[in-house]
Amino acid sequence: IASSLLVLVGLYIRLRLEETPAFQHAIEHHERVRIPMMNVLTQHTKLLVLATFSGIATFAVFYLMTVFTLSWATRHLGYTRQEFLILQMIATLFLALAIFLSALGADRYGRRLMLMIAAMGVIALGLSFDSLFASGTTVGVLAFLCIGMVVMGLTYGPLGTALSEYFPTAIRYTGASVSFNLAGIIGGSFTPYFASSLATKYGVAYVGYYMAAAGLITLLANWMLPKETA
């Protein structure tokens, strides 16, 4: 019931948004395409693939820090579900702060650069996943969750703007939407399952390697993408 108020606020804002100057220019000069989806898939395939990979670490980190850690901690680290959810709620505050700070940094230094820095943070977190998460102390686990949420926030803050800037104005909304959702499917949908399987068969360290691999893919994808527009 309380969240419905936020829906109304979001609807109010959306109904009063105006077209950006760039898109208004495209309308006035008849630059829009009839079927944006086909244009994205056929004429901007490489860009779509790179843009998708540029966001997979965001979703991989999120699902590892929420779904996997909750499952593993309650089954193997001795936490009750309620105890660990409280730790995750505290860590989420750091997620919100990191999103805000990374957005400010993206405006000042560039979205692509911030995403590359965040990807390096994902790699570093992945390589230290086992030692931090399996520390055995509540303070250590909480610190790990907070760091993980900070890294996730650093990737999430600039992502939406970065994706929209990679595509030409006429297909910007479609390109950004498709790449964002594909990144969510690839980076997040199977991640908890893969992570549980890796941890059970090979140990928690391999979950970290999985995270680091996602970070490396994202880093390389952002490096190969063109610099963002003004």
Side-chain angles (χ1 to χ4, degrees), residues 62-169:
F62 179 76
Y63 283 100
L64 287 175
M65 301 307 301
T66 54
V67 179
F68 169 74
T69 56
L70 175 62
S71 174
W72 193 261
T74 53
R75 287 189 298 160
H76 299 279
L77 300 184
Y79 289 92
T80 66
R81 183 178 179 84
Q82 182 178 2
E83 290 171 342
F84 201 79
L85 283 173
I86 291 174
L87 297 182
Q88 288 186 321
M89 289 174 64
I90 295 172
T92 302
L93 299 176
F94 290 84
L95 167 64
L97 178 62
I99 291 175
F100 175 74
L101 294 177
S102 65
L104 291 178
D107 279 344
R108 183 168 184 177
Y109 303 109
R111 277 64 66 194
R112 179 169 167 266
L113 177 61
M114 284 300 299
L115 286 173
M116 293 176 70
I117 293 173
M120 289 186 280
V122 172
I123 295 171
L125 179 65
L127 295 178
S128 57
F129 195 101
D130 183 36
S131 58
L132 292 175
F133 184 47
S135 62
T137 66
T138 300
V139 173
V141 171
L142 178 59
F144 167 73
L145 292 175
C146 291
I147 294 171
M149 285 300 186
V150 166
V151 170
M152 192 272 167
L154 292 178
T155 69
Y156 192 75
L159 183 60
T161 304
L163 292 177
S164 67
E165 288 180 320
Y166 291 141
F167 293 91
T169 302

Side-chain angles (χ1 to χ4, degrees), residues 21-32:
F23 193 72
Q24 189 62 43
H25 180 273
I27 294 175
E28 294 172 355
H29 291 77
H30 307 288
E31 297 175 358
R32 290 184 296 176

Side-chain angles (χ1 to χ4, degrees), residues 5-82:
L5 298 177
L6 294 178
V7 173
L8 294 176
V9 172
L11 179 62
Y12 175 82
I13 294 173
R14 287 176 180 271
L15 290 175
R16 280 159 176 74
L17 286 176
E18 298 179 355
E19 299 291 359
T20 63
F23 193 72
Q24 189 62 43
H25 180 273
I27 294 175
E28 294 172 355
H29 291 77
H30 307 288
E31 297 175 358
R32 290 184 296 176
V33 297
R34 186 174 181 180
I35 308 178
M37 177 68 77
M38 290 302 299
N39 187 283
V40 170
L41 294 176
T42 59
Q43 299 186 32
H44 301 276
T45 307
K46 179 180 178 181
L47 183 59
L48 176 62
V49 171
L50 290 176
T52 297
F53 285 155
S54 75
I56 64 170
T58 301
F59 296 96
V61 172
F62 179 76
Y63 283 100
L64 287 175
M65 301 307 301
T66 54
V67 179
F68 169 74
T69 56
L70 175 62
S71 174
W72 193 261
T74 53
R75 287 189 298 160
H76 299 279
L77 300 184
Y79 289 92
T80 66
R81 183 178 179 84
Q82 182 178 2

